[in-house]
């Protein structure tokens, strides 16, 4: 069959698109061009070495599978990399794939196992049972990247993390059974759930751990009903030692699936097997969840994950950079941590976009580039300037430590920095005078008002001071 390279790549893309999130797809796959298809080798052109390495590191499994699906088991992929050095006018060089046989370290965005049969008429292999075998091998579906080691601890997650750690050391035998983790999106539930599973595997290699999203669980159940293999389905789940169900809220209002889960839950719990559940809301808010199941959830521990504070956010970014072996100026890291406050996944997305942009355009990672990228990222909400950020810029500008603003010192230069921080906070944030005062050394609203007046007066009368204000204004809003 004579296939056209563009068409083959298009088909690959359509599968890839289904398996990763939109932002990653745009960042890593849209810039790729298919350039050649010869002897079952598809050559794709990528914009840089960094790009190539990133794909190899994070998407190798997905790429291999999709290419083989399109071209058969003999199918191969090769990269053609656009040279980084413009002095070299030679043709782009090509690297043969596969260059490594290492297991992909997993892509943090792929939470679902790859389902290449999706949309095709091929039968999805029954994942659960091999009849007649007592000990069967279960694919745990755990992502090695989501380890405890890679999970940064902070006040925001301390309880959940230590409960998870305790559970991993003694699954089914602690009071935390079930362990229910809940939080808004992007705050680490899935990560922590995997970490517990991985740690159990470390501690007790013979234990059977299974991670499934509740969506997978529900779909498997539907298939089982259709294929008349409901018993197999139940038996399969009843032999798991540590069952992790992610995003249980997906089962809300799905009565039949809840019922079967209830059944499995009881069996496992009675046999001292560990249950781990994650949810985007606490049990009390799970409307449409079977009351008996809800009461079971309350048997164990419900622990929430909060938005991480600034230090934790910075530590998370540093951890990621370190893991990927990438360096980034401190000011960029801090800016990123200051700007994206409510969702770790979004923060990671912005980080990746910055890396990709810098690699695509072969530009150094500067604060300016980061600001442009982040503004795009949060364009819908138009980036909010925070009081924290203003304080940081002001302190950096005058070479003062951040603590100075919060201290009681009445030293002239510190008083001035504090007043400027108050003035800009009033101008650029929606915070009330009282809130601003609280954040700037626990002052009251009258002090803030006084600061704003003083700054306005000085702007009118002191040229040097006016300069400060103009420069700071630029730095804060850039
Ligand atoms: P959720 O399941 O709550 O929506 P995830 O577990 O998918 O969130 O986390 C989103 C991203 O943020 C993941 O890439 C995860 O690794 C990262 N993340 C969240 N919290 C932490 C943390 N405390 N330390 C390191 N990475 C974190
Ligand atoms: Mg999740």
């Amino acid at each position: 069959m004579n296939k056209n390279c563009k068409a083959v790549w298009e088909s690959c893309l359509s599968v890839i698109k289904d398996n990763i999130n939109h932002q990653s797809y745009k960042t890593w796959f849209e810039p790729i061009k298919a350039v050649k298809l010869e002897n079952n080798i598809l050559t794709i052109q990528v914009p840089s070495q960094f790009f190539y390495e990133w794909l190899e590191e994070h998407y190798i499994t997905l790429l291999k599978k999709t290419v083989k699906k399109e071209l058969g088991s003999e199918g191969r992929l090769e990269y053609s990399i656009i040279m980084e050095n413009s002095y070299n006018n030679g043709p782009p060089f090509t690297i043969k794939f596969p260059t490594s046989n290492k297991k992909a370290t997993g892509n943090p965005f792929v939470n679902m196992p790859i389902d290449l049969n999706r949309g095709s008429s091929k039968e999805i292999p029954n994942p659960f049972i091999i009849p007649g075998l007592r000990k069967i091998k279960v694919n745990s579906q755990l992502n090695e990247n989501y380890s405890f080691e890679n999970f940064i601890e902070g006040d925001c997650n301390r309880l959940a993390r230590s409960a998870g750690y305790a559970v991993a050391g003694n699954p089914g035998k602690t009071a935390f059974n079930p362990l229910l983790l809940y939080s808004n999106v992007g705050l680490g539930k899935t990560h922590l759930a995997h970490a517990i599973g991985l740690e159990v595997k470390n501690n007790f290699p013979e234990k059977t751990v299974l991670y499934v999203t509740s969506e997978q669980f529900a779909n498997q159940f539907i298939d089982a009903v259709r294929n008349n293999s409901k018993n197999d389905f139940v038996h399969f789940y009843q032999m798991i030692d540590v069952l992790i169900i992610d995003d249980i809220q997906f089962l809300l209002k799905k009565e039949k699936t809840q019922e079967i889960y209830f059944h499995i839950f009881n069996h496992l719990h009675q046999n001292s097997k560990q249950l781990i559940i994650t949810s985007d809301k606490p049990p009390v808010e799970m409307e449409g969840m079977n009351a008996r199941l809800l009461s079971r959830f309350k048997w164990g521990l419900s622990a929430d994950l909060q938005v991480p504070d600034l230090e934790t956010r910075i530590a998370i970014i540093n951890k990621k950079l370190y893991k990927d072996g990438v360096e980034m100026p401190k000011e960029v890291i801090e800016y990123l941590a200051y700007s994206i406050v409510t969702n770790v996944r979004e923060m990671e997305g912005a980080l990746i976009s910055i890396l990709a942009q810098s690699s695509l355009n072969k530009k150094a990672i500067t604060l300016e580039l980061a600001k442009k990228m982040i503004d795009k990222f949060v364009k819908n909400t138009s980036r909010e300037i925070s009081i924290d950020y203003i304080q940081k810029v002001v302190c950096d500008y005058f070479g003062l430590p951040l603590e100075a603003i919060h201290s009681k010192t009445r030293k002239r230069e510190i008083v001035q920095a504090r007043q400027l921080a108050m003035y800009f906070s009033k101008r650029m944030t929606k915070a009330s005078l009282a809130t601003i005062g609280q954040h700037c050394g626990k002052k009251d609203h009258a002090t803030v008002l006084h600061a704003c007046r003083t700054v306005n007066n000085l702007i009118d009368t002191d040229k040097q001071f006016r300069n400060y204000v103009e420069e700071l204004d630029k730095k804060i809003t850039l």
Side-chain angles (χ1 to χ4, degrees):
M1 214 188 319
N2 199 0
K3 287 189 179 166
N4 163 308
C5 76
K6 297 243 159 26
V8 168
W9 182 239
E10 280 302 314
S11 311
C12 291
L13 283 182
S14 70
V15 176
I16 290 168
K17 209 174 195 165
D18 268 354
N19 279 286
I20 66 177
N21 81 8
H22 179 64
Q23 183 65 34
S24 317
Y25 179 81
K26 269 180 81 86
T27 306
W28 301 108
F29 291 93
E30 277 187 359
I32 299 176
K33 285 198 192 96
V35 288
K36 200 167 74 181
L37 178 60
E38 238 174 56
N39 306 327
N40 260 344
I41 300 174
L42 174 68
T43 308
I44 57 173
Q45 189 182 61
V46 298
S48 68
Q49 175 79 18
F50 173 81
F51 224 89
Y52 151 74
E53 283 169 9
W54 188 276
L55 290 171
E56 279 269 286
E57 177 84 15
H58 296 87
Y59 298 107
I60 191 165
T61 313
L62 182 59
L63 277 165
K64 268 190 188 168
K65 285 197 180 174
T66 44
V67 167
K68 288 197 192 304
K69 180 176 181 250
E70 287 308 312
L71 298 176
S73 60
E74 294 302 301
R76 294 278 177 279
L77 189 66
E78 279 184 20
Y79 297 93
S80 149
I81 300 175
I82 300 171
M83 287 295 284
E84 307 254 351
N85 300 326
S86 51
Y87 61 76
N88 183 327
N89 290 324
F93 71 90
T94 296
I95 293 183
K96 288 237 158 69
F97 178 103
T99 50
S100 58
N101 260 333
K102 69 175 174 199
K103 233 176 96 225
T105 42
N107 158 15
F109 300 111
V110 180
N111 289 331
M112 294 274 291
I114 299 159
D115 175 6
L116 292 171
N117 292 326
R118 197 185 300 181
S120 82
S121 57
K122 256 190 267 162
E123 206 38 39
I124 300 171
N126 180 341
F128 15 95
I129 201 84
I130 305 174
L133 277 183
R134 256 205 277 125
K135 196 84 191 147
I136 70 165
K137 221 172 142 38
V138 172
N139 173 3
S140 295
Q141 306 205 98
L142 293 168
N143 178 343
E144 308 259 315
N145 265 332
Y146 284 162
S147 59
F148 270 112
E149 220 235 303
N150 290 338
F151 191 78
I152 303 286
E153 182 175 354
D155 289 340
C156 54
N157 59 35
R158 204 172 316 274
L159 173 68
R161 188 190 170 283
S162 44
Y165 200 76
V167 161
N170 209 357
K173 308 280 183 335
T174 67
F176 313 142
N177 197 17
L179 175 63
L180 190 143
L181 306 168
Y182 67 93
S183 77
N184 285 337
V185 292
L187 295 181
K189 298 180 293 291
T190 298
H191 186 142
L192 190 53
H194 278 267
I196 300 169
L198 291 168
E199 191 64 20
V200 171
K201 283 300 244 183
N202 265 344
N203 294 337
F204 311 95
E206 77 292 349
K207 284 208 189 295
T208 313
V209 179
L210 179 65
Y211 166 92
V212 282
T213 64
S214 62
E215 193 174 359
Q216 282 179 307
F217 181 84
N219 289 339
Q220 287 174 1
F221 175 60
I222 293 168
D223 284 349
V225 171
R226 196 186 306 136
N227 301 333
N228 254 335
S229 57
K230 208 168 110 186
N231 284 345
D232 291 348
F233 174 86
V234 173
H235 286 147
F236 171 79
Y237 275 97
Q238 285 182 342
M239 48 140 261
I240 305 293
D241 295 314
V242 177
L243 177 59
I244 306 167
I245 303 247
D246 202 1
D247 288 321
I248 195 95
Q249 73 274 1
F250 183 81
L251 298 191
L252 295 179
K253 305 215 170 80
K254 295 194 168 55
E255 283 162 32
K256 285 275 179 293
T257 319
Q258 286 180 26
E259 211 169 279
I260 206 85
Y261 178 59
F262 179 71
H263 200 69
I264 293 166
F265 184 110
N266 285 339
H267 181 95
L268 294 178
H269 200 273
Q270 273 159 18
N271 289 287
S272 300
K273 304 300 167 79
Q274 180 71 42
L275 294 132
I276 298 164
I277 301 152
T278 81
S279 164
D280 69 352
K281 34 176 107 47
V284 289
E285 288 172 24
M286 290 184 197
E287 268 172 51
M289 188 66 83
N290 179 314
R292 292 184 305 169
L293 200 46
L294 268 185
S295 80
R296 296 292 189 277
F297 290 171
K298 292 173 193 156
W299 282 357
L301 175 76
S302 304
D304 65 333
L305 295 152
Q306 294 287 340
V307 172
D309 56 27
L310 181 67
E311 283 72 31
T312 312
R313 296 202 299 276
I314 291 178
I316 291 174
I317 298 175
N318 278 326
K319 183 92 200 179
K320 268 211 87 63
L321 290 174
Y322 179 78
K323 209 160 93 284
D324 292 333
V326 185
E327 285 189 19
M328 204 182 241
K330 196 160 157 277
E331 50 180 5
V332 175
I333 297 173
E334 285 174 353
Y335 183 79
L336 193 58
Y338 272 108
S339 315
I340 302 190
V341 296
T342 54
N343 183 325
V344 179
R345 186 178 302 128
E346 236 170 58
M347 191 171 79
E348 287 183 349
L351 175 65
I352 290 169
S353 300
I354 293 169
L355 294 176
Q357 267 301 316
S358 116
S359 154
L360 271 175
N361 304 335
K362 304 178 177 64
K363 273 195 203 145
I365 300 172
T366 60
L367 191 55
E368 214 170 319
L369 174 75
K371 286 183 176 177
K372 268 198 210 125
M373 290 307 303
I374 290 171
D375 283 349
K376 260 196 227 153
F377 228 80
V378 283
K379 64 174 179 298
N380 299 331
T381 47
S382 82
R383 183 173 59 83
E384 296 238 344
I385 295 174
S386 66
I387 301 176
D388 285 350
Y389 184 63
I390 291 171
Q391 292 178 347
K392 170 91 175 80
V393 174
V394 171
C395 285
D396 281 358
Y397 183 76
F398 291 112
L400 297 169
L402 193 55
E403 299 82 64
I405 291 224
H406 305 292
S407 71
K408 298 266 171 249
T409 327
R410 307 206 45 84
K411 268 202 196 143
R412 214 183 85 84
E413 75 219 48
I414 293 174
V415 171
Q416 191 175 68
R418 202 183 288 133
Q419 288 182 330
L420 278 163
M422 289 174 174
Y423 163 85
F424 281 114
S425 300
K426 181 68 202 132
R427 251 186 58 194
M428 297 176 172
T429 74
K430 293 192 201 83
S432 66
L433 292 173
T435 307
I436 295 171
Q438 264 307 307
H439 276 79
C440 302
K442 300 216 176 354
K443 306 284 192 231
D444 61 14
H445 80 281
T447 312
V448 181
L449 206 55
H450 174 71
C452 294
R453 290 210 188 101
T454 310
V455 170
N456 277 320
N457 279 339
L458 284 170
I459 290 174
D460 292 339
T461 54
D462 182 336
K463 203 165 150 207
Q464 159 101 56
F465 190 84
R466 185 158 62 235
N467 254 341
Y468 289 163
V469 172
E470 278 166 12
E471 281 190 39
L472 277 168
D473 192 317
K474 271 194 220 128
K475 281 190 189 298
I476 296 169
T477 52
L478 182 78

